[in-house]
Structure formats: C-alpha cells, structure tokens
Amino acid sequence: MGKTLYLKLDQISEVHEKDVYLKDIGTLYSDDESVLNRCRTLKVKKIQADQNRRYIGSVLDIIGLIAQMDPGIQVENVGETDYIIDYKKSRQPARVWAWCKTVFVAVICFCGAAFAIMTFNNDASVTDVFQELYRLTLGQESGKVMVLEVTYSVGLAVGVILFFNHFCKWKLNTDPTPLEVEMRLYEDNISKTLIQNDGRKESGVDVT
C-alpha cells in the first residue's frame, strides 16, 4: 500500500536558522508516523549568506527531495505551489528601539491625520457651513463656540474609532480592521511580485 503525505506550504515563512527543514515552511500530515517524522526533518535549503534575505522555492523541488529520500511516498500538495523563505538573523529584541519607532510612527500618523482634517475643513469651509446652519435654524448669528462644532469634533473621533474597529487593546468586534486588511493585501502583493520576478528568465528591459 502506498504511503501518502499531504503537504500544505505557506506562501512566506520567516526563519532564523540557516538549516531550513520542511516543517519550518509548511504543515504536513500522513497516516504513517514514520513517513511524517522523516519528511518533517527533511532539509529543504542550506542558507549560505550571512545576511537577511528572501529565497524563492517551488513545491516541485520539495517533491523531488522527498522522492530521493523515499520513492514510495506519494505527495499530495494542498497548499502553495511557490513559496518564500524569509531568512532573518537571530538577534535579541531591542525593546527601546522598538518603542522609539512606535512612538515616531504614532506621532507622524497623528500629525498627518490632523493636517489632513484641518485642510479638508478649510477647503470645504466647514465653519461657514455651521454658521449658516446656525443662522437658518435659530434665526441669529452664532457665538464663538457652536454646538455643531463640538458635536462634529466628537462625532469625527467616534467615527474614526468605529471605522478602524480598534482602540488601544480593544476591538469592537472580531472582524479584521481596515489597516490589517491593507497590510495583508500589501504582503500578498509583495509575495506575488517576488515569485513572479523570480520566474522571469528574460534578459533585457521590462517595460510593463
């Protein structure tokens, strides 16, 4: 009776060791425990360069390695056909530097968002619109501070929290936030671009 191995490769896997095994880049399943253990410890790549780098591979290469190890194993691929190994050297986490980068990004985002909101309000003449609404509804000119301005500011903050579905450590529901969705789309596009560029063998200038 043939031995079957079900293989599900991840599109991109981050590793910190130069010896990369099959278990590091995907999930394996087999009814035969010995086949599963041997395939999990199968070395698929030996990284030579001592620098952070991404390597592209194909499931066909892995099937070939498994066939060399045991020709009787039948591989059923249920995952990616091309995969990326993202090698990063092991190092101690620099928490102070991480917090500095987080604070810097937060300040940039806050100032950028505040500038965008102020320029929008100025271009749309929101203050003039509020004054006109105040005069039409109450029949008199507004004072320095209008109720509409206060409610608009509060509503803007509440609307941002509801839209981004995230405030500090709390989420309003289990749906991914718009930022998480955009980051995943960005990562998918990066991975697809790396795989497609690696598959191009043409020489010359690509104008597409």
Side-chain angles (χ1 to χ4, degrees), residues 88-103:
K88 293 183 178 179
K89 295 184 294 184
S90 299
R91 58 183 180 181
Q92 295 295 330
R95 298 186 180 276
V96 175
W97 175 239
W99 273 104
C100 291
K101 291 191 293 184
T102 301
V103 172

Side-chain angles (χ1 to χ4, degrees), residues 3 28 95 99 105 126 135 157 187 202:
K3 297 170 287 188
L28 295 81
R95 298 186 180 276
W99 273 104
V105 172
V126 175
R135 186 182 63 81
E187 291 176 354
E202 301 90 351

Side-chain angles (χ1 to χ4, degrees), residues 15 40 69 76 99 103 112 118-119 155 162 186-187 207:
V15 299
R40 283 174 55 87
M69 180 182 65
E76 294 288 343
W99 273 104
V103 172
M118 288 187 294
T119 54
L162 292 176
Y186 174 76
E187 291 176 354
V207 296

Side-chain angles (χ1 to χ4, degrees), residues 12-201:
I12 182 169
S13 303
E14 181 177 320
V15 299
H16 301 283
E17 303 295 334
K18 291 190 175 183
D19 291 332
V20 182
Y21 300 94
L22 189 52
K23 63 182 177 63
D24 298 326
I25 62 174
T27 305
L28 295 81
Y29 173 79
S30 177
D31 293 333
D32 193 323
E33 193 69 22
S34 63
V35 170
L36 182 62
N37 291 332
R38 283 190 296 160
C39 291
R40 283 174 55 87
T41 56
L42 176 65
K43 185 185 296 185
V44 296
K45 189 170 186 62
K46 172 69 174 180
I47 297 176
Q48 303 294 338
D50 191 21
Q51 59 182 353
N52 297 340
R53 186 178 172 185
R54 291 174 175 174
Y55 301 88
I56 315 298
S58 172
V59 69
L60 294 178
D61 299 330
I62 294 179
I63 294 176
L65 292 175
I66 295 176
Q68 292 177 6
M69 180 182 65
D70 188 345
I73 299 177
Q74 180 181 353
V75 181
E76 294 288 343
N77 180 40
V78 295
E80 299 288 337
T81 56
D82 298 288
Y83 62 92
I84 300 173
I85 298 176
D86 186 10
Y87 171 71
K88 293 183 178 179
K89 295 184 294 184
S90 299
R91 58 183 180 181
Q92 295 295 330
R95 298 186 180 276
V96 175
W97 175 239
W99 273 104
C100 291
K101 291 191 293 184
T102 301
V103 172
F104 176 76
V105 172
V107 171
I108 293 297
C109 291
F110 177 82
C111 295
F115 181 77
I117 292 173
M118 288 187 294
T119 54
F120 168 78
N121 291 338
N122 185 63
D123 291 340
S125 300
V126 175
T127 303
D128 296 338
V129 173
F130 286 165
Q131 290 178 349
E132 186 65 19
L133 287 175
Y134 193 91
R135 186 182 63 81
L136 292 175
T137 54
L138 299 180
Q140 59 183 5
E141 297 295 333
S142 63
K144 293 183 178 180
V145 179
M146 296 182 293
V147 177
L148 287 176
E149 291 178 337
V150 176
T151 54
Y152 172 76
S153 301
V154 174
L156 185 63
V158 173
V160 169
I161 294 175
L162 292 176
F163 176 77
F164 285 100
N165 186 28
H166 189 77
F167 182 75
C168 293
K169 295 182 179 180
W170 300 280
K171 294 181 65 175
L172 303 179
N173 52 56
T174 57
D175 294 337
T177 67
L179 287 178
E180 290 175 337
V181 172
E182 291 299 324
M183 287 301 298
R184 296 301 172 266
L185 290 175
Y186 174 76
E187 291 176 354
D188 289 342
N189 291 333
I190 291 294
S191 298
K192 291 178 181 178
T193 301
L194 289 172
I195 293 173
Q196 291 174 0
N197 288 345
D198 183 74
R200 290 184 176 181
K201 305 300 182 182

